[in-house]
Amino acid sequence: VQLQASGGGLVQAGGSLKLSCAASGSGFTLEGMNWYRQAPGKQRESVAISSGGGIIEYADSVQGRFTMSADYAKKMVFLHMNTLKLEDTAVYFCNAKWRYWGRTYVRESWGQGTQVTVSS
């Protein structure tokens, strides 16, 4: 399974961006799609994690500003980012947990990342 993220760019503080991620491949079922980010000099951190049953867990730093939505029929996940702050500057990665049809082992794939830069 390959993931392709898009939608990053340069935005002023207070602005909005929408990231998209599409999963491609065949013969698989998605178990969940998530977003992570990595700022310069920092470790990768979770932004929005689908924890099953329609529940999404957001990082405290983005709670109330970011919203993750998904269209599993189209194998896509989106991250709607509002009221962006300077500290949201990072490379954003989509992540997917999936399994082959008829199999129980859950695998994981990562997208290539898309840069989000928030300016003052």
Side-chain angles (χ1 to χ4, degrees):
V1 170
Q2 293 187 325
L3 303 177
Q4 181 68 46
S6 60
L10 176 64
V11 62
Q12 283 193 322
S16 300
L17 273 179
K18 177 185 175 182
L19 304 183
S20 301
C21 179
S24 62
S26 61
F28 70 97
T29 298
L30 285 168
E31 296 290 335
M33 297 183 78
N34 315 295
W35 287 97
Y36 290 76
R37 68 183 181 186
Q38 187 167 17
K42 294 187 177 181
Q43 290 188 331
R44 189 173 298 187
E45 63 175 359
S46 62
V47 176
I49 303 295
S50 59
S51 55
I55 297 173
I56 300 172
E57 298 179 359
Y58 295 95
D60 289 344
S61 58
V62 307
Q63 184 74 45
R65 300 187 297 120
F66 290 12
T67 302
M68 183 171 75
S69 62
D71 184 342
Y72 283 102
K74 295 183 178 179
K75 297 183 173 59
M76 296 190 71
V77 67
F78 308 95
L79 186 66
H80 307 264
M81 306 185 293
N82 297 314
T83 320
L84 283 161
K85 303 178 179 180
L86 296 179
E87 52 264 41
D88 294 320
T89 295
V91 178
Y92 284 71
F93 298 88
C94 62
N95 164 278
K97 291 182 170 56
W98 56 277
R99 55 182 173 79
Y100 284 115
W101 291 341
R103 303 294 179 94
T104 57
Y105 180 72
V106 178
R107 300 172 185 266
E108 186 174 41
S109 293
W110 290 88
Q112 83 289 2
T114 184
Q115 176 71 46
V116 172
T117 303
V118 183
S119 65
S120 58

